[in-house]
Amino acid sequence: MIFKSINPYTQEIIATHSILTTTQLHQKLNLADNAFHHWKITSFQERALKMKRLADLLRSNKTELALLITSEMGKVLAESEAEIEKSALNCEYYAEHAEQLLKEEINATSFSSKTVYDPLGAVFAIMPWNYPFWQVFRYAAPTIMAGNVTLLKHAPNVMGCAKAIERLFLEAGFPEGVFQELTIDVPQVEEVIESSIVCGVTLTGSEGAGAAVASLAGKYIKKSVLELGGSDAFIVLDDANIEAAATVAAQSRMGNAGQACICAKRFIITDAIATDFISLFVEKVKKIQQGNPLDTKNQMGPLARIDLAEKLEVQLKTSLDQGAQLLLGGEREQFNFQPTIIDHVQENNIAFREETFGPVAAIVRAKNEDEAIALANQHRYGLAAAIWSEDVEKAQQLAKKIEAGSVFINSLVRSDSQIAFGGIKKSGYGRELGAIGLKEFLNVKSIVIG
């Protein structure tokens, strides 16, 4: 059996990748085991030197790597280049800060005690195609700097990216087995999770995939971290700077062709400023030029796969049948889906209830800020949200009422190396990034002195 990398713009087959046999898979698991016993006792200084070298390699190969991303999943080159840079910055952040963040802590107890952080083994990662480098480096840089090793099952349509990342780790001087990509299919996942070398599993993906992997992790008593779906609320209140809000709204919904868990998806606008905001929002989205992602004049490429485009088309049609009004776009041609805005979306509308993984913005109107918060929370997902208001103190108080893993005030929702990232409810559990994400797959060990 093979996986195919298909260019979503031309629909040409770029490459094929053979799935590992059982024997090959076990060889890689054994290699990870051997690597861990040496890697866990290397100094932070040695790890950091290699991680910084990796960041340098990402930058020096940025043009080639960005072209690979664009060819495999369709985002425009500028977005692919930004993804490589963000991955390099993450490597540098953990190279510079991991030792301090994992420094042993003296506890405030009535007796003498301290907490230390020990690596556990191999972290098995199941990663998606929408950010084929960043999603990997988001978990891999902290995991490896903490002394663990890792095994990656990447999405089948971006196996070229997976193999390129493994080559970069080796070129940067990491020992064989510290980072390995596994070209495996879904039925082989349980075999990996069951392995004694695997200490835990992290998954970024769909709600269904998360539930399946969490079940397996529970079966084999392995730690799991899940970053799943999102239907992020973008709340614009009466006193917002609507020009700034509309600019970021277009960026947040249409970036990466709308294919991101933390894209704003539900635009909850108070009645007092709805007309003005919507006018500006439509104007800004109209200016987005879509086409060949290799053409630098375009700001949006195709969706990554035909099944994704077809599903989004069904969601849009159903939403309109349920009473939403089309303001802009709405057409699909093969993988290409026009930037789309729909208005008057109600709570029972599919565009409100489901995650729309593509460039469709759903506008929901609220009478006031209390109703806006209630609408934001009326969802099974709780990944992130944004609040726009010139009264920052008020916005901070409202942010505390939002049921989400993070809330951004007057800015674009994003992941950042310095802060914990993750969701609640059906958006998953556990955290990546920041000090908390660094410690997810470590033994938090208490040492008590009698």
Side-chain angles (χ1 to χ4, degrees), residues 73-335:
M73 60 75 57
K75 71 177 65 182
V76 294
L77 276 173
E79 291 178 331
S80 296
E81 290 173 354
E83 183 174 336
I84 297 298
E85 177 60 27
K86 189 172 184 178
S87 299
L89 287 170
N90 200 48
C91 291
E92 289 174 335
Y93 177 80
Y94 283 103
E96 293 166 5
H97 297 285
E99 182 175 13
Q100 180 62 31
L101 293 172
L102 296 178
K103 186 178 177 182
E104 66 178 38
E105 301 166 6
I106 304 300
N107 298 324
T109 51
S110 59
F111 44 84
S112 181
S113 71
K114 60 184 177 181
T115 300
V116 298
Y117 300 94
D118 295 337
L120 288 170
V123 175
F124 178 40
I126 302 171
M127 292 291 116
W129 48 265
N130 56 338
Y131 291 91
F133 270 68
W134 169 242
Q135 297 282 12
V136 174
F137 281 94
R138 192 169 78 185
Y139 92 86
T143 293
I144 290 171
M145 277 303 302
N148 290 317
V149 299
T150 187
L151 300 155
L152 167 69
K153 180 197 179 301
H154 219 329
N157 58 323
V158 290
M159 291 308 304
C161 291
K163 294 180 185 301
I165 293 169
E166 181 174 326
R167 288 195 298 271
L168 288 168
F169 269 93
L170 292 171
E171 190 176 342
F174 289 89
E176 277 193 291
V178 170
F179 179 98
Q180 295 182 87
E181 70 85 15
L182 304 179
T183 309
I184 60 174
D185 203 3
V186 173
Q188 296 167 289
V189 166
E190 181 169 1
E191 195 170 355
V192 178
I193 296 175
E194 181 184 10
S195 170
S196 60
I197 179 59
V198 171
C199 65
V201 56
T202 180
L203 176 141
T204 298
S206 69
E207 187 179 335
V213 166
S215 296
L216 288 173
K219 177 180 177 181
Y220 294 107
I221 316 178
K222 304 291 177 75
K223 174 73 177 288
S224 59
V225 170
L226 304 179
E227 197 268 276
L228 308 178
S231 186
D232 288 5
F234 189 101
I235 302 168
V236 187
L237 301 179
D238 292 0
D239 60 350
N241 179 332
I242 59 172
E243 172 67 34
T247 298
V248 174
Q251 180 185 0
S252 183
R253 188 66 196 104
M254 303 302 165
N256 207 40
Q259 301 169 114
C261 52
I262 55 170
C263 277
K265 298 183 177 78
R266 295 176 299 141
F267 295 82
I268 302 173
I269 317 300
T270 52
D271 285 339
I273 48 89
T275 299
D276 291 339
F277 172 84
I278 292 167
S279 176
L280 285 168
F281 187 30
V282 170
E283 177 187 320
K284 292 177 186 301
V285 173
K286 272 184 179 178
K287 294 178 181 177
I288 295 172
Q289 191 160 329
Q290 185 180 32
N292 187 340
L294 296 177
D295 188 335
T296 56
K297 74 174 183 291
N298 293 325
Q299 295 92 46
M300 183 185 292
L303 298 190
R305 299 196 312 260
I306 192 66
D307 60 304
L308 300 168
E310 290 171 346
K311 178 181 178 180
L312 187 63
E313 186 176 42
V314 171
Q315 288 175 312
L316 175 61
K317 183 180 184 303
T318 304
S319 298
L320 296 175
D321 289 344
Q322 291 173 333
Q325 296 179 13
L326 182 67
L327 298 183
L328 182 69
E331 297 297 320
R332 177 182 74 85
E333 183 180 348
Q334 294 294 322
F335 290 60

Side-chain angles (χ1 to χ4, degrees), residues 391-429:
D391 187 341
V392 174
E393 288 300 318
K394 178 185 71 174
Q396 289 183 75
Q397 294 306 310
L398 292 174
K400 295 176 182 179
K401 300 178 181 179
I402 296 286
E403 297 168 358
S406 59
V407 181
F408 284 65
I409 297 170
N410 296 333
S411 67
L412 178 73
V413 172
R414 62 194 182 279
S415 55
D416 188 284
S417 303
Q418 302 170 81
I419 57 173
F421 176 81
I424 61 172
K425 300 195 279 191
K426 297 295 185 181
S427 289
Y429 51 76

